[in-house]
Amino acid sequence: MTVTAQQTRHPRSPRPAQGGTPARRPLTGLAAAGLGLALLLTGCASQERVCGSGRYPVKAVGNNDGQDCVADGQEPPEGWVRYPAGQVPEYVGDEWDRHWSRVIVDAEGRTTGGLVPRQPAG
């Protein structure tokens, strides 16, 4: 039996997939994974700060939802108090921001016992 050139099959070399040669695909995946890890590790950088640079947060007296910012070096205006040291909210939604949004304080900054019930998630 005679085999012609048309009948012979030669394996083709694999064509590069879209996006580069097969050797580059793992590097692209590795780079994407590295970027994802970097974003996770710097998650705080993407959070919104309660106050901008040169300002500190203060809490309204007599209600649970009043919060404002005062310039560093200035005292809070009447009707506002400083947060206790170590319990100052830094980022919107952080532990202390959530805590103080449920607490009512008096003019001395003491909690009045008036806690606002937590709203169900949803």
Side-chain angles (χ1 to χ4, degrees):
M1 174 180 209
T2 307
V3 178
T4 64
Q6 292 177 344
Q7 294 173 328
T8 343
R9 295 188 183 246
H10 296 285
R12 292 184 178 176
S13 60
R15 289 184 181 168
Q18 288 181 330
T21 63
R24 288 189 183 169
R25 276 183 262 148
L27 293 178
T28 304
L30 185 60
L35 178 61
L37 180 62
L39 289 174
L40 283 174
L41 294 175
T42 60
C44 288
S46 65
Q47 291 181 333
E48 181 181 354
R49 295 189 69 84
V50 170
C51 293
S53 179
R55 301 178 66 77
Y56 69 93
V58 292
K59 174 135 179 75
V61 172
N63 68 62
N64 67 305
D65 58 357
Q67 180 171 289
D68 201 0
C69 297
V70 174
D72 289 344
Q74 293 186 359
E75 289 298 315
E78 187 175 334
W80 299 85
V81 294
R82 292 178 184 261
Y83 290 97
Q87 297 180 9
V88 180
E90 294 183 46
Y91 298 98
V92 174
D94 72 11
E95 173 188 5
W96 292 116
D97 187 45
R98 291 188 314 271
H99 170 76
W100 290 111
S101 70
R102 298 185 53 239
V103 176
I104 298 171
V105 298
D106 65 15
E108 302 299 316
R110 296 179 301 237
T111 59
T112 63
L115 292 177
V116 178
R118 291 180 193 235
Q119 297 297 320

